[in-house]
Amino acid sequence: MIGGGTGAFIGDAHRRASRISNRFELIGGAFDVDYEKGKVFAKSEGIDSTRCYATMEDFVSGELSLPEEKRIEAVAIVTPNYLHFPYAKMLLENGFHVMCEKPMTMTVEEAEELQQLVVKTGLSFALAHTYTGYPMVREMKTLISQGILGDIQRVDAQYYQGWINSIIHGRENKITGVWRLEPEYSGISSCMADIGVHAFNMLEYTTGLQVKRVLSDLNNVHESAKLDLDGTVLLRFDENLRGVIRASQVAAGEENGFKIAIYGSKASFRWEQENPNELLLLSDTEPTRVYKPGNAYNTEFADMSHTMPAGHPEGIYESLANIYSGFAKSILGESLVEGEFPTVQEGVRGMKFVHGVVKSDKENNTWVDL
Amino acid sequence: MIGGGTGAFIGDAHRRASRISNRFELIGGAFDVDYEKGKVFAKSEGIDSTRCYATMEDFVSGELSLPEEKRIEAVAIVTPNYLHFPYAKMLLENGFHVMCEKPMTMTVEEAEELQQLVVKTGLSFALAHTYTGYPMVREMKTLISQGILGDIQRVDAQYYQGWINSIIHGRENKITGVWRLEPEYSGISSCMADIGVHAFNMLEYTTGLQVKRVLSDLNNVHESAKLDLDGTVLLRFDENLRGVIRASQVAAGEENGFKIAIYGSKASFRWEQENPNELLLLSDTEPTRVYKPGNAYNTEFADMSHTMPAGHPEGIYESLANIYSGFAKSILGESLVEGEFPTVQEGVRGMKFVHGVVKSDKENNTWVDL
Amino acid sequence: MIGGGTGAFIGDAHRRASRISNRFELIGGAFDVDYEKGKVFAKSEGIDSTRCYATMEDFVSGELSLPEEKRIEAVAIVTPNYLHFPYAKMLLENGFHVMCEKPMTMTVEEAEELQQLVVKTGLSFALAHTYTGYPMVREMKTLISQGILGDIQRVDAQYYQGWINSIIHGRENKITGVWRLEPEYSGISSCMADIGVHAFNMLEYTTGLQVKRVLSDLNNVHESAKLDLDGTVLLRFDENLRGVIRASQVAAGEENGFKIAIYGSKASFRWEQENPNELLLLSDTEPTRVYKPGNAYNTEFADMSHTMPAGHPEGIYESLANIYSGFAKSILGESLVEGEFPTVQEGVRGMKFVHGVVKSDKENNTWVDL
Amino acid sequence: MIGGGTGAFIGDAHRRASRISNRFELIGGAFDVDYEKGKVFAKSEGIDSTRCYATMEDFVSGELSLPEEKRIEAVAIVTPNYLHFPYAKMLLENGFHVMCEKPMTMTVEEAEELQQLVVKTGLSFALAHTYTGYPMVREMKTLISQGILGDIQRVDAQYYQGWINSIIHGRENKITGVWRLEPEYSGISSCMADIGVHAFNMLEYTTGLQVKRVLSDLNNVHESAKLDLDGTVLLRFDENLRGVIRASQVAAGEENGFKIAIYGSKASFRWEQENPNELLLLSDTEPTRVYKPGNAYNTEFADMSHTMPAGHPEGIYESLANIYSGFAKSILGESLVEGEFPTVQEGVRGMKFVHGVVKSDKENNTWVDL
């Protein structure tokens, strides 16, 4: 693991999820830019001090000096965004499988370089689009692929959070400390790169279709903000299939309000991340159906993504654990269901989205091809 | 009443609502283009046959021939859209108060002419933006005006229906019979003029703010449709307050999915028409609050708009009845709360919205000032 | 109308509902024990002063002195409980159809006397079990009669309110003014006679089955209360079909929390009065279905009980209006669906329930046959 | 771990939860009555074959033969019910800390013997009342102890499942294979011992009060069932505080429908296990509040029981992991919050409940003191 030391919630999420999947063991890493803090953290996790490295370079050389059977096989990158690309590249070039946080890189070019590297090395590369691991998301993907909705006519995704609101309005004085708001660490976007891209990914993941063009209206909201904290993106798949992504980090009181709706000619799906174990199928002609995991009627993909009996709620750690399981199966060459973990291709799509959206906004809200 | 004969659900809604308000009595009208049908309908309602007129002209001359104390005072226009303007104009010019279905007219110019006529005549004119009569919408409007949200930072309205879906896909063969889809009867828009305009009105009604510019992407969805059945509209109130309206008549399985969210710097409101007796107040710092009608904590405006004890659900007829009550108070010169019924001004705003949105779509999705 | 003058919410509910049904006109009545107040009220409603009577006796003699075609045909009794029986009796004996509030009488014997009187006179008698007018309750009743649930195995009804809580704890000093808490006006029970009986009625109404025995545990909760404010009732239909009714008037914060669940061998229904337009069908083998009114899939009984298109919520006034419509059809001899309005038989059942429950509680919570 | 081999969902739940807590490592156990299957399972989990034992006796003697620092410290018992007591006793007598599934024993006497043993040995003993680990349950417990509800006036718990329904009706032919339905393995009760006891525990856990008497009505529902599959229990805490537990394993379509409501003189709580991250506070005077985890307003106990930011749902594994964390802290002598894991005392209370309820049912539904 690279990054993710004391206090880093994403790092902790990855550790928990990998333990749930029961296919990984945390052996070593470079956990903190402050090496002393990293060592304290490693000790608290019961990690051998020789496997706690000061830097990425030390990590690679240290591990490569070990015999292959003792060497760390896979690395989770849970650093701020600007380090994703150089670290992922270095790891792939040295033979490590990579689990990477999103957004995958800072630029589209970097993303494509990574994609080529994955193809060339044949290593496994997973991107942490955690929400694609939820069983009801997978149920939706499978049922759509079987045609349950008819022709898709409209898509609509919302990702509303409120956490930056208190920062820009000075109720919490930590704006300078939030790397996500600093372009040099975060990249060209805050809201769209952090959460809008999840919405984009989920729409393409569940429908199996690709967005062709975007038109966006982004909003920094407050003079102190250097990046977008809020925005709306119009989507064109083709002339008759359009949609919208709405995202905000200043929607006061919203926690992690990620919702998607896929409207077809015969029926439609709605799903909400904060209530992940319910999937609604709306129909023109029948009562709405509520799908839940753990039931005999579930598709195989949903069924393998939920372990408890029906009515026992699993959550976001289990969702990420499902992705870790897929990643493990890929590393071990086991057979996979399509969509069992997000790949480098999805990382490339995501970077095209982020850059397309920022470009559209800068060019007076005009259409940009992805 | 003009229009609204047998089988017309909006006409029936107006009759029920006016009876609930207990401030109006249905005495006469011109109920159907087919006079024979109109007479049958009038009889079924117990209306004196001499007050059942064949045409609008007959109605006006007939009523004017009666002594003033026997004359019909107020008229509800519940015809297809293209007749709203000429009938409203004729009625106002002849001294009748008017309750008009929306959209108010076919063009902005007509709307402004009507507005001047209302000012000039001093008569009462109400527009049937029915949803503004719900007690929790009024609670929201009042609490926003008191500053409960802080500065408004984003607005988001959805209006999704699915009923036209079955028509364009031939599951119901009635496309030719649906006047809403015919430009000559309906005007330049279907989806935006029928439902998008409700969303627009609700955003301006609850926030007390005005949309300055719109950018839209409209979709006819199917080759057989001459008008928009689906679309998204970006909104600018000012640079730092933006929003979106999403509307569709082909969202399969959606019934009358009208929802609004108003996001402020301190807190936010969410409300859904299909569950109208709950109003959510989201906060950055406190648990979400669920406001319901009939409680001692309600504001006066909400309180006067709900008659049953808490927990006894009132619905859309009572909402429209509240608007009829406001209209009656206006006619009688009683004192009114601000916003007790939608006025001709809101009709003008609505027509500017519909025309602005259609223009933006035609001009390659560029910004149009309202 | 007898009772229901200024400030009486139930009286107002009946007036609104009868106007919505459009089958009744309020012509006269005895509205208040204080005749002066009654006259003021009558005037405010536009009622001819000669039809505003001081007493029940005056009402009967006054109306009987009129020619039959001018005479009031049907009377709604919306007085405190202890007057229901004598007034209903007097009205039936003098040829008036009766709509009566529940509980129908003070004793089982009175109830049975009324039942015989209805049979003997052939007049129409309706009991205001308002909730049976909701379209989704009627959908449930119809689908159960068609066997959708298999064998019913358990029933569970809840009726929780909190309004008396503030009274017994002195936050509102009106305990003496609340006739419902006084045995001489209310009868032998508060909670069970006012709301428990709705739960009982709904279970028998929807299942078509009869409760054979009850065992209850009632609670006055506070020393100042003379009657039960809270209680639980065990139900036996037969050995293998049991159930429970839970009711309270001191469940702080509950508004009108009436919910029922009918569990069958194949599937189950759940319905909640505060969200009356949703009916859940739970199944062992399929996703839960959400039935809503206004849809083509509805049964005929539900369909005729909802007038708006799908997604336009109707509420409790419309529910009571449906019962008024059934009552009107009965008076006019039109054909009726089974269950279109609650009858005197249901009143007898209700009184047996109330008395059985109180008896069980007094006899140390033992079984009592109904 | 004792029991919990291949295919045992509860064993898997314990393993996942202990890994999430990151305070335990699975080193060995006796996983299956079929030793060969147990060995296959141990291998799949990467467990040293020398630590995979054939029997409980082998386990104890094997581990005791190891030096103390290598010895397994704590054991999870996830066998059928009838083995809980003998195994727990043997483990405690030999110095092992114990995590035990519920119901803790077959009889009250066994439970009390275990309680004495825990006191005598000073070892840590935790009972898997998993639901007490949910953050919003802990929020409720803390806020109640702070007096937020005023005096508690009524409690109501529901635990409805439907899974046995398909068995008794022959849709799944496995009644003989379900040990829960066999008295010799399961004890004197199915429904009440398996799920009713959770409801009982939760009521005592959250209120801090003790049930004094019970009156029950249990139902085997089907001739093929030897034990109760359904029932209702009246509760008396004291004369003015009463309540009810409703439980069923044949409520068709219910998954794991565990809900509790605590009604106080000032306010009330409602919580549902299938939507565990929402806690409703109902009030007579204010809008309902919705508490959710991960927020700054949470109490410390809730806060330490949820690790993700607000809006990222955690589930039942994390709930059980919280209990494992408390258990670990107890073993290590770290300071604990009251209620951080269910103790042997709660096991004694649970057995008194199960036996009291069965006795009441047998004695014609009369009151039984606990």
Side-chain angles (χ1 to χ4, degrees), chain D residues 75-360:
Chain D
V75 179
I77 302 175
V78 289
T79 63
N81 300 349
Y82 73 110
L83 297 172
H84 293 174
F85 172 68
Y87 286 1
K89 187 179 172 190
M90 197 187 306
L91 288 164
L92 288 168
E93 288 175 341
N94 287 284
F96 297 92
H97 303 286
V98 171
M99 166 69 75
C100 187
E101 256 306 316
K102 34 74 24 201
M104 189 167 76
T105 57
M106 299 285 269
T107 70
V108 176
E109 293 69 30
E110 290 170 353
E112 289 174 336
E113 188 179 337
L114 227 47
Q115 183 178 25
Q116 288 158 13
L117 204 51
V118 170
V119 171
K120 191 176 128 196
T121 60
L123 292 163
S124 295
F125 182 97
L127 193 66
H129 275 304
T130 304
Y131 306 118
T132 63
Y134 275 121
M136 288 302 94
V137 168
R138 293 170 165 200
E139 184 91 339
M140 181 169 29
K141 178 183 178 60
T142 305
L143 291 172
I144 288 175
S145 75
Q146 293 170 357
I148 199 169
L149 302 189
D151 293 327
I152 297 174
Q153 298 184 153
R154 180 181 184 84
V155 300
D156 187 336
Q158 170 191 300
Y159 206 137
Y160 283 166
Q161 298 181 329
W163 66 281
I164 291 185
N165 210 33
S166 64
I167 297 171
I168 59 172
H169 295 297
R171 290 199 290 276
E172 293 181 58
N173 185 17
K174 56 179 178 182
I175 193 160
T176 55
V178 178
W179 63 259
R180 284 193 188 283
L181 302 182
E182 295 299 324
E184 59 187 310
Y185 302 116
S186 188
I188 61 171
S189 161
S190 170
C191 179
M192 287 297 155
D194 189 27
I195 58 178
V197 72
H198 273 305
F200 172 82
N201 175 258
M202 184 63 87
L203 291 175
E204 292 202 342
Y205 179 78
T206 52
T207 64
L209 302 172
Q210 286 206 335
V211 174
K212 294 223 181 75
R213 300 204 289 159
V214 294
L215 183 158
S216 75
D217 188 25
L218 307 185
N219 193 357
N220 289 16
V221 182
H222 196 268
E223 54 197 16
S224 67
K226 300 173 192 163
L227 296 170
D228 57 300
L229 303 182
D230 178 283
T232 305
V233 184
L234 305 180
L235 308 173
R236 290 265 178 99
F237 290 78
D238 61 40
E239 278 314 294
N240 286 329
L241 173 51
R242 307 185 190 175
V244 62
I245 288 173
R246 305 162 284 121
S248 184
Q249 295 172 318
V250 295
E254 292 279 2
E255 298 187 346
N256 198 34
F258 179 24
K259 307 179 182 185
I260 71 164
I262 314 286
Y263 292 104
S265 56
K266 292 195 299 187
S268 308
F269 274 126
R270 290 203 324 225
W271 178 83
E272 306 191 0
Q273 190 276 148
E274 294 196 15
N275 190 16
N277 294 307
E278 281 193 13
L279 171 63
L280 300 187
L281 181 74
L282 287 73
S283 156
D284 268 353
T285 54
E286 288 176 35
T288 292
R289 286 186 219 160
V290 187
Y291 289 78
K292 297 179 72 180
N295 285 293
Y297 59 72
N298 290 140
T299 62
E300 194 193 336
F301 195 15
D303 193 50
M304 60 181 268
S305 305
H306 185 90
T307 55
M308 272 275 181
H312 295 72
E314 301 184 9
I316 192 163
Y317 287 122
E318 289 71 36
S319 182
L320 185 53
N322 288 332
I323 287 171
Y324 264 93
S325 295
F327 181 46
K329 287 162 75 174
S330 170
I331 292 171
L332 297 173
E334 298 175 10
S335 73
L336 283 159
V337 174
E338 200 269 303
E340 220 173 316
F341 67 94
T343 66
V344 72
Q345 281 80 358
E346 291 173 73
V348 173
R349 290 294 299 163
M351 289 318 297
K352 286 186 176 171
F353 169 76
V354 172
H355 281 264
V357 160
V358 170
K359 188 177 177 204
S360 170

Side-chain angles (χ1 to χ4, degrees), chain B residues 50-350:
Chain B
T50 65
R51 307 295 275 275
C52 175
Y53 301 98
T55 66
M56 192 62 216
E57 289 71 17
D58 290 355
F59 175 91
V60 169
S61 61
E63 289 297 317
L64 288 182
S65 71
L66 297 171
E68 204 171 336
E69 69 279 7
K70 292 209 165 179
R71 202 180 295 162
I72 285 171
E73 287 173 86
V75 180
I77 303 175
V78 289
T79 62
N81 300 349
Y82 74 109
L83 297 170
H84 294 173
F85 172 69
Y87 285 2
K89 188 180 171 190
M90 198 187 306
L91 288 163
L92 288 169
E93 288 174 341
N94 287 285
F96 298 92
H97 303 286
V98 172
M99 165 70 74
C100 187
E101 256 306 317
K102 34 64 39 193
M104 190 166 76
T105 57
M106 299 286 267
T107 69
V108 175
E109 293 66 31
E110 291 170 352
E112 288 173 337
E113 189 179 337
L114 227 46
Q115 182 177 27
Q116 288 158 13
L117 205 50
V118 170
V119 171
K120 192 178 127 195
T121 60
L123 292 162
S124 293
F125 183 98
L127 193 65
H129 275 304
T130 304
Y131 307 117
T132 62
Y134 276 121
M136 290 301 95
V137 167
R138 292 171 166 202
E139 183 91 339
M140 180 166 33
K141 178 182 177 61
T142 306
L143 291 173
I144 288 174
S145 75
Q146 293 171 357
I148 199 170
L149 303 188
D151 294 327
I152 297 174
Q153 298 184 153
R154 180 180 184 86
V155 301
D156 187 337
Q158 170 190 299
Y159 206 136
Y160 283 166
Q161 298 181 329
W163 67 280
I164 292 186
N165 209 33
S166 64
I167 298 171
I168 58 171
H169 294 297
R171 291 199 289 275
E172 293 181 57
N173 186 16
K174 57 179 176 182
I175 194 160
T176 54
V178 178
W179 63 258
R180 283 192 189 285
L181 303 182
E182 295 300 324
E184 59 186 309
Y185 301 116
S186 188
I188 61 171
S189 162
S190 170
C191 178
M192 287 299 154
D194 188 28
I195 57 177
V197 74
H198 272 303
F200 172 81
N201 175 258
M202 184 64 87
L203 292 174
E204 293 201 342
Y205 179 77
T206 53
T207 64
L209 302 173
Q210 285 206 335
V211 173
K212 295 223 180 77
R213 300 203 288 159
V214 294
L215 182 159
S216 77
D217 187 27
L218 307 184
N219 193 358
N220 290 14
V221 181
H222 195 268
E223 55 198 13
S224 65
K226 299 174 193 161
L227 296 171
D228 57 299
L229 303 181
D230 177 284
T232 305
V233 184
L234 305 180
L235 309 172
R236 291 266 177 98
F237 290 78
D238 61 40
E239 278 314 295
N240 286 330
L241 172 52
R242 307 186 190 175
V244 63
I245 288 173
R246 305 162 285 121
S248 184
Q249 296 172 316
V250 294
E254 292 280 3
E255 299 186 347
N256 198 33
F258 178 25
K259 308 179 181 184
I260 72 163
I262 313 287
Y263 292 103
S265 57
K266 293 196 298 189
S268 308
F269 275 125
R270 291 203 323 225
W271 178 83
E272 304 191 2
Q273 191 277 147
E274 293 196 15
N275 190 16
N277 293 308
E278 281 192 13
L279 171 63
L280 300 187
L281 181 74
L282 287 73
S283 156
D284 269 353
T285 55
E286 288 175 34
T288 290
R289 287 188 218 159
V290 187
Y291 288 79
K292 297 179 74 181
N295 286 292
Y297 59 71
N298 290 140
T299 61
E300 194 194 335
F301 195 15
D303 193 50
M304 60 181 268
S305 305
H306 185 90
T307 55
M308 273 274 182
H312 295 73
E314 301 184 10
I316 192 163
Y317 287 122
E318 289 71 36
S319 182
L320 185 54
N322 288 331
I323 287 171
Y324 264 92
S325 294
F327 180 47
K329 287 160 77 174
S330 170
I331 292 171
L332 298 173
E334 300 175 10
S335 74
L336 283 159
V337 175
E338 200 270 301
E340 220 173 315
F341 68 93
T343 66
V344 72
Q345 281 80 357
E346 290 173 75
V348 173
R349 290 295 299 163

Side-chain angles (χ1 to χ4, degrees), chain D residues 24-94:
Chain D
F24 295 89
E25 195 178 349
L26 180 58
I27 295 173
F31 302 103
D32 208 308
V33 287
D34 179 335
Y35 189 30
E36 294 310 310
K37 279 192 190 169
K39 283 192 282 192
V40 170
F41 172 77
K43 194 171 174 191
S44 76
E45 288 281 318
I47 291 168
D48 187 334
S49 63
T50 65
R51 307 294 276 276
C52 174
Y53 302 98
T55 67
M56 192 64 215
E57 289 72 16
D58 290 356
F59 175 90
V60 169
S61 60
E63 288 298 317
L64 289 182
S65 71
L66 297 172
E68 205 172 333
E69 71 278 8
K70 291 210 165 175
R71 201 179 295 162
I72 284 170
E73 287 173 87
V75 179
I77 302 175
V78 289
T79 63
N81 300 349
Y82 73 110
L83 297 172
H84 293 174
F85 172 68
Y87 286 1
K89 187 179 172 190
M90 197 187 306
L91 288 164
L92 288 168
E93 288 175 341
N94 287 284

Side-chain angles (χ1 to χ4, degrees), chain D residues 354-370:
Chain D
V354 172
H355 281 264
V357 160
V358 170
K359 188 177 177 204
S360 170
D361 185 62
K362 288 218 172 109
E363 296 179 351
N364 299 309
N365 322 110
T366 50
W367 289 102
V368 171
D369 291 336
L370 292 199

Side-chain angles (χ1 to χ4, degrees), chain A residues 49 99 151 166 193 197 230 289 311 314 328 342:
Chain A
S49 63
M99 165 70 75
D151 292 328
S166 64
V197 73
D230 177 283
R289 287 188 219 159
E314 301 184 9

